[in-house]
């Protein structure tokens, strides 16, 4: 697998290979790059930040409570798109529990004062 | 006319941090904000990555704003005027504004902090050739329409400019079901963060072409497509290689300009490089009692730096208002090889340390950053890589400074 290291502005071009269960990173210039390369190869994770709809119009910003498996991101976005909020929430409140089976919740990142329209 | 020790123009991250700095000095503070709430552009930046330096944790824009907003709104010593558009500022610090609830607002100020932020360069500013259909937005405008107002601005998107807002919007539009066909960048490098290139483009297989630009746009009512072409080393398009890409939306992420219209034509000395005021280490402009901080002073890449800078300005503004800033002689901060600008542009003689923030003019590897005064080395810092998109600083000891200070890159 080829990727770009994001640990610093150098942006080293990494090549990651696996042989007999041993993951090897080449192209890095520092140990942080090697560590990043291994995690991107074995278990890449991403924070998801997106919007959910509010009944009657408007949107609320949300995020996953922690980074989730990268492969689950499309499913998490789809699940978020299916939410239609009809009550007030505070920043930090769970909007959707265990999003896409990731083990993490979708939580509000802002307050929403819901008024019925 | 109401009087406040410190009047702050703008209630974004800079204005809020300045208010907190001023309040800690015991000043009475007013914030004039033109939007319906405090927070500025942070409110529309729903992605995370804010606050790593300032709070030691990763927050989204609304969360970062809320930390400051709570502090500001719970402080009875800060008067917040919302939906208040500032019309004028005089040299003797009378601020005039209008708002739907207050009507005409006239405030006299012991000191003023300019915290108006910046504005995006638009289609007109880059001389975009072709028709003027709907569907051409600046990236930040599209971001606001999406994240605050809940409208997706298009379905087939091309983005010009690889600054962070453009990259973030590529992911955002994709997340909402739009197809981002191409991101192009005029320069041979991106001014955006590596993390955004990987996580906003590569994760979604969105192509990024360097040294490429839009040569013209087509469409009558709505945008129907754009012509793109690679550019030569003088940044001129190679028209023989022009190519058509159909799309209904073009997002522009082509640079930010400090929004200094309010002080245009005033006695405040401006920098032609930053498009902001020339300031000392307190972020005081050439007009005593008028301070400037955040993106209105120079465009930052991290909000954490904005907060830090504005806190300094707010603290100093409060001290000025009570006559506690001594007017000691200043030395100039100049730039040498490889450094596009350094800020503050002048520093006072005295004790303590001061951070000189700077940006380089292109990508450099393995260079040493130096600060010299009259040829004498004050400080040096070895670097692996320096990029124009990442603001850097070098900290110097003021007591060592003999004359003007020069920040430069050396082999």
């Amino acid at each position: 697998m080829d990727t770009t290291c994001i640990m610093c502005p150098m942006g080293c071009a990494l090549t990651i290979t696996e042989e007999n269960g041993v993951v090897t990173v080449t192209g890095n210039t520092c140990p942080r790059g090697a560590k990043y390369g291994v995690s991107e190869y074995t278990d890449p994770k991403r924070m998801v930040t997106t919007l959910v709809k509010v009944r009657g119009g408007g949107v609320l910003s949300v995020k996953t409570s922690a980074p989730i498996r990268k492969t689950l991101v499309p499913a998490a976005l789809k699940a978020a798109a299916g939410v239609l909020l009809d009550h007030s929430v505070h920043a930090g409140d769970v909007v959707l529990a265990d999003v896409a089976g990731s083990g993490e919740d979708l939580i509000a990142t802002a307050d929403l004062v819901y008024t019925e329209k | 006319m109401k009087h406040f020790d410190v009047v702050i123009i703008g209630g974004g991250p800079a204005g809020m941090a300045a208010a907190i700095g001023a309040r800690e000095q015991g000043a009475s503070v007013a914030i004039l904000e033109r939007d319906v709430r405090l927070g500025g552009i942070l409110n529309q930046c729903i992605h995370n990555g804010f606050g790593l330096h300032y709070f030691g944790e990763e927050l989204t824009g609304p969360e970062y704003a809320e930390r400051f907003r709570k502090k500001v709104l719970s402080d009875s010593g800060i008067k917040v005027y919302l939906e208040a558009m500032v019309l004028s500022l005089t040299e003797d610090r009378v601020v005039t504004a209008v708002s739907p609830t207050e009507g005409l607002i006239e405030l006299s100020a012991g000191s003023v902090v300019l915290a108006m932020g910046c504005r995006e360069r638009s289609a007109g500013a880059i001389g975009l050739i072709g028709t003027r259909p709907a569907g051409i937005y600046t990236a930040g405008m599209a971001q606001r329409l999406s994240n605050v107002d809940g409208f997706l601005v298009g379905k087939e998107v091309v983005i010009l400019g690889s600054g962070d807002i453009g990259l973030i919007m590529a992911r955002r539009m994709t997340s909402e079901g739009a197809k981002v066909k191409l991101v192009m960048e005029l320069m041979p490098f991106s001014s955006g963060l590596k993390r955004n290139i990987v996580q906003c483009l590569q994760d979604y297989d969105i192509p990024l072409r360097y040294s490429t630009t839009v040569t013209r746009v087509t469409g009558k009512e709505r945008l129907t497509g754009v012509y793109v072409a690679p550019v030569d080393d003088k940044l001129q398009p190679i028209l023989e290689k022009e190519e058509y890409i159909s799309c209904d939306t073009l997002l522009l992420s082509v640079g930010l300009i400090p929004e200094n219209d309010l002080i245009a034509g005033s006695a405040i000395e401006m920098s032609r490089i930053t498009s902001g005021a020339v300031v000392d280490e307190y972020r005081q402009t050439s007009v005593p009692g008028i301070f400037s901080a955040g993106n209105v002073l120079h465009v930052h890449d991290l909000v954490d730096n904005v907060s830090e800078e504005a806190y300094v300005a707010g603290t100093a503004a409060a001290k000025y208002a009570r006559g506690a800033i001594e007017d000691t002689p200043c030395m100039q901060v100049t730039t040498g090889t490889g450094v596009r600008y350094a800020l503050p542009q002048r520093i006072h003689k005295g004790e303590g340390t001061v951070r000189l923030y700077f940006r380089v003019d292109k990508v450099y590897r393995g260079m040493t950053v130096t600060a010299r005064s009259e040829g004498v080395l004050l400080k040096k810092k070895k670097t692996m890589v320096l990029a124009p998109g990442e603001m850097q600083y070098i900290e110097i000891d003021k007591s060592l400074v003999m004359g003007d200070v020069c920040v430069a890159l050396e082999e």
Side-chain angles (χ1 to χ4, degrees):
Chain A
M1 184 181 90
D2 293 326
T3 189
T4 312
C5 182
I6 65 167
M7 299 314 285
C8 86
M10 284 282 278
C12 296
L14 305 180
T15 301
I16 304 144
T17 50
E18 184 179 352
E19 209 173 317
N20 305 324
V22 180
V23 179
T24 314
V25 180
T26 54
N28 58 307
T29 30
C30 77
R32 288 201 302 162
K35 203 175 156 197
Y36 171 78
V38 172
S39 77
E40 274 295 282
Y41 182 82
T42 53
D43 191 20
K45 289 187 168 170
R46 296 288 184 269
M47 280 291 288
V48 177
T49 55
T50 188
L51 301 165
V52 294
K53 281 184 281 220
V54 178
R55 187 183 291 278
V59 289
L60 176 71
S61 56
V62 295
K63 68 174 184 182
T64 47
S65 44
I68 64 168
R69 284 231 161 92
K70 194 176 146 187
T71 49
L72 293 176
V73 171
L77 288 168
K78 210 173 162 195
V83 173
L84 189 59
L85 274 178
D86 57 0
H87 55 90
S88 295
V89 296
H90 283 113
D93 288 355
V94 174
V95 167
L96 188 63
D98 188 19
V99 59
S102 64
E104 299 297 338
D105 301 330
L106 211 52
I107 59 175
T109 59
D111 293 344
L112 169 73
V113 181
Y114 181 74
T115 45
E116 221 163 300
K117 279 166 198 147
Chain B
M1 199 183 321
K2 272 191 195 158
H3 178 85
F4 292 91
D5 295 333
V6 180
V7 171
I8 298 164
I9 303 173
M16 293 192 294
I20 290 164
R23 280 298 293 152
E24 284 178 13
Q25 297 293 320
S28 63
V29 175
I31 300 177
L32 294 152
E33 165 56 42
R34 71 177 165 197
D35 208 340
V36 296
R37 57 178 166 170
L38 294 173
I41 298 304
L42 282 171
N43 291 326
Q44 68 186 58
C45 297
I46 64 164
H47 54 282
N48 73 327
F50 303 93
L52 216 47
H53 297 268
Y54 200 86
F55 292 113
E57 58 182 306
E58 254 189 287
L59 303 170
T60 65
E63 291 170 319
Y64 188 98
E66 185 58 20
R67 298 226 170 162
F68 283 88
R69 191 159 43 211
K70 263 202 181 112
K71 223 169 167 179
V72 167
L73 294 178
S74 65
D75 186 337
S76 59
I78 304 174
K79 166 73 181 164
V80 178
Y81 294 92
L82 294 175
E83 296 182 85
M85 184 75 196
V86 175
L87 304 176
S88 72
L89 162 67
T90 66
E91 250 178 78
D92 53 356
R93 299 185 298 277
V94 173
V95 181
T96 307
V98 283
S99 96
T101 49
E102 308 265 342
L104 189 70
I105 304 164
E106 268 195 300
L107 307 178
S108 81
S111 60
V112 170
V113 181
L114 305 171
M116 294 92 78
C118 60
R119 194 179 261 177
E120 296 178 279
R121 288 180 74 208
S122 61
I126 59 165
L128 196 66
I129 295 169
T131 51
R132 287 294 179 263
I136 302 172
Y137 296 89
T138 57
M141 186 72 228
Q143 187 181 47
R144 185 187 165 101
L145 285 165
S146 160
N147 299 351
V148 176
D149 302 321
F151 299 110
L152 188 63
V153 297
K155 291 186 176 139
E156 276 200 310
V157 187
V158 167
I159 300 177
L160 175 60
S162 64
D164 286 313
I165 317 168
L167 300 175
I168 294 284
M169 279 313 290
R171 178 174 62 186
R172 194 80 273 287
M173 299 286 285
T174 307
S175 299
E176 294 296 340
K179 168 83 185 155
V180 179
K181 292 180 138 182
L182 176 67
V183 177
M184 70 199 101
E185 167 61 53
L186 178 68
M187 304 303 288
F189 54 85
S190 168
S191 59
L193 299 172
K194 280 280 176 287
R195 183 174 76 167
N196 286 337
I197 291 176
V198 172
Q199 298 195 348
C200 298
L201 300 187
Q202 291 175 11
D203 274 7
Y204 297 91
D205 296 320
I206 299 168
L208 168 61
R209 278 193 221 164
Y210 291 110
S211 300
T212 304
T213 193
V214 172
T215 47
R216 61 201 152 109
V217 299
T218 61
K220 198 173 173 203
E221 298 294 318
R222 178 83 195 191
L223 185 71
T224 51
V226 296
Y227 284 90
V228 308
V231 297
D232 60 24
D233 52 11
K234 291 190 182 81
L235 304 182
Q236 295 306 304
I238 304 165
L239 291 176
E240 300 77 55
K241 294 186 182 167
E242 200 177 50
E243 175 192 340
Y244 181 74
I245 300 172
S246 68
C247 60
D248 61 22
T249 304
L250 172 65
L251 299 188
L252 302 172
S253 176
V254 290
L256 301 168
I257 309 162
E259 192 168 346
N260 274 309
D261 310 49
L262 187 63
I263 56 165
S266 76
I268 296 172
E269 186 190 350
M270 303 296 287
S271 159
R272 295 180 75 158
I273 302 169
T274 60
S275 299
V278 170
V279 293
D280 64 17
E281 70 268 43
Y282 307 121
R283 306 302 187 265
Q284 182 166 221
T285 69
S286 63
V287 173
I290 298 182
F291 295 75
S292 178
N295 282 351
V296 77
L297 180 59
H298 58 136
V299 176
H300 294 63
D301 32 271
L302 297 177
V303 70
D304 306 65
N305 288 333
V306 168
S307 299
E308 207 175 277
E309 176 173 274
Y311 180 84
V312 169
T315 305
K319 286 181 180 169
Y320 179 91
R322 62 165 195 264
I325 284 195
E326 282 173 61
D327 195 15
T328 55
C330 272
M331 276 121 1
Q332 301 299 312
V333 178
T334 61
T335 56
T337 313
V339 178
R340 199 161 71 83
Y341 76 84
L343 189 142
Q345 291 92 344
R346 54 172 178 263
I347 50 176
H348 292 268
K349 277 201 159 98
E351 299 294 310
T353 59
V354 62
R355 280 182 183 180
L356 305 176
Y357 289 89
F358 66 93
R359 279 187 197 277
V360 294
D361 56 11
K362 58 176 194 184
V363 178
Y364 291 95
R365 286 174 200 278
M367 299 293 272
T368 300
V369 184
T370 62
R372 291 176 186 275
S373 181
E374 318 239 288
V376 180
L377 187 68
L378 300 174
K379 189 72 170 274
K380 66 175 180 179
K381 195 162 137 182
K382 221 179 147 18
T383 60
M384 294 262 281
V385 65
L386 293 167
E390 311 227 357
M391 196 165 73
Q392 304 279 333
Y393 69 83
I394 186 162
E395 196 167 70
I396 58 165
D397 183 345
K398 281 209 278 185
S399 64
L400 298 176
V401 176
M402 290 318 181
D404 292 351
V405 178
C406 181
V407 181
L409 302 186
E410 295 174 24
E411 291 279 353

